[in-house]
Amino acid sequence: MTTPVELKCPTCGALLAMEDVNMATDMALCRACNKISRFSDLVQEERDEEILDSIPQRMSVAKTARGLEVTYRRPKGVGFFLLLFTLIWNAITYVAVFAMMGETGHGGIFGQLFLIPFILVGFGTLLGAVYVLFGRMTLTLTPGRGELFRGVGSLGRRQQFLLAKDARVSIEASNIQQNHKVLNKIVVEQPDGKPFEFGTGIAEEEAQQYAAALLRQMRG
């Protein structure tokens, strides 16, 4: 009796039989080469083929000299909201600043110092609006290796990570909440034991699944 979905050994490509699968221990044995694999990983790889059939919205994939580049851009609506909020916030804040500058004495100085946090909030929301409207998250992948870039244009942060052959790539709940909803993250197992985590800024579940499936495919 074979499995309902034909599962193949990742080492030799032989078909696996149901009697060689132990779901309780999440293990599958290939009798052709005696390789033991995680059953859940084999099932996930079958799903990955379907996931990679179509590219989600707000994602683009391109082959470059550096490798396969996968770029995700956040929904623009949030950026326009932040920009409108920033304009209103800063308008009110700077009117108050100029009013305080016209005052003299300790009261005027104290008022100006009191407004500093409000100025910083306005600056922070402006940066947030620019990032959402013009920023990007780009994964550059080659077999066995990856690089994550987050920023605007060429300005931003780059992080390197490994994609080992047997590395586990999963989507898990993070410690971050948004609108009372727990955000998920992509977790990539690393040889040093400290996983590489990212992806809480990806709003769509299908986009997270696509990135995770591509990472699993690029393990080398």
Side-chain angles (χ1 to χ4, degrees), residues 65-142:
R66 299 184 65 236
L68 188 67
E69 289 193 353
V70 186
T71 297
Y72 173 80
R73 299 182 186 276
R74 294 177 62 90
K76 301 298 184 185
V78 177
F80 287 121
F81 171 79
L82 282 174
L83 184 60
L84 178 62
F85 174 84
T86 300
L87 293 174
I88 296 173
W89 180 277
N90 285 343
I92 295 173
T93 300
Y94 284 104
V95 166
V97 168
F98 290 133
M100 292 292 182
M101 290 176 63
E103 297 182 11
T104 57
H106 296 292
I109 295 174
F110 176 79
Q112 293 175 36
L113 294 175
F114 175 78
L115 288 172
I116 289 178
F118 294 89
I119 295 173
L120 294 176
V121 169
F123 182 70
T125 55
L126 176 61
L127 291 179
V130 170
Y131 177 73
V132 173
L133 291 173
F134 306 105
R136 62 184 172 90
M137 185 201 78
T138 298
L139 280 169
T140 304
L141 304 174
T142 56

Side-chain angles (χ1 to χ4, degrees), residues 9 12-16 20 29-35:
C9 173
C12 68
L15 293 177
L16 303 180
D20 295 325
L29 171 66
C30 175
R31 293 191 180 274
C33 66
N34 291 322
K35 168 73 174 181

Side-chain angles (χ1 to χ4, degrees), residues 19-219:
E19 54 265 28
D20 295 325
V21 174
N22 189 329
M23 295 186 184
T25 58
D26 195 28
M27 295 296 179
L29 171 66
C30 175
R31 293 191 180 274
C33 66
N34 291 322
K35 168 73 174 181
I36 296 177
S37 306
R38 290 192 187 102
F39 175 70
S40 57
D41 288 348
L42 298 176
V43 174
Q44 183 62 60
E45 288 175 8
E46 290 292 327
R47 291 190 62 238
D48 286 348
E49 294 183 8
E50 299 179 8
I51 293 172
L52 294 174
D53 280 344
S54 58
I55 302 174
Q57 290 184 337
R58 287 186 277 277
M59 292 192 86
S60 61
V61 180
K63 290 184 178 180
T64 69
R66 299 184 65 236
L68 188 67
E69 289 193 353
V70 186
T71 297
Y72 173 80
R73 299 182 186 276
R74 294 177 62 90
K76 301 298 184 185
V78 177
F80 287 121
F81 171 79
L82 282 174
L83 184 60
L84 178 62
F85 174 84
T86 300
L87 293 174
I88 296 173
W89 180 277
N90 285 343
I92 295 173
T93 300
Y94 284 104
V95 166
V97 168
F98 290 133
M100 292 292 182
M101 290 176 63
E103 297 182 11
T104 57
H106 296 292
I109 295 174
F110 176 79
Q112 293 175 36
L113 294 175
F114 175 78
L115 288 172
I116 289 178
F118 294 89
I119 295 173
L120 294 176
V121 169
F123 182 70
T125 55
L126 176 61
L127 291 179
V130 170
Y131 177 73
V132 173
L133 291 173
F134 306 105
R136 62 184 172 90
M137 185 201 78
T138 298
L139 280 169
T140 304
L141 304 174
T142 56
R145 292 185 174 274
E147 179 188 85
L148 175 67
F149 170 81
R150 283 173 288 198
V152 179
S154 60
L155 299 177
R157 184 185 181 190
R158 297 182 184 273
Q159 295 173 278
Q160 311 283 337
F161 60 96
L162 298 176
L163 288 168
K165 184 177 181 179
D166 296 324
R168 194 174 184 87
V169 180
S170 57
I171 297 176
E172 304 174 9
S174 71
N175 296 323
I176 302 174
Q177 290 190 10
Q178 187 177 67
N179 298 325
H180 305 291
K181 179 183 177 182
V182 177
L183 300 181
N184 288 331
K185 61 185 177 181
I186 299 173
V187 181
V188 183
E189 188 179 58
Q190 297 294 287
D192 61 4
K194 183 180 180 181
F196 181 74
E197 303 176 352
F198 72 100
T200 54
I202 300 178
E204 300 81 12
E205 181 181 349
E206 59 270 22
Q208 278 192 335
Q209 292 178 349
Y210 186 91
L214 199 56
L215 288 166
R216 283 188 286 266
Q217 188 183 68
M218 295 299 290
R219 290 177 296 192

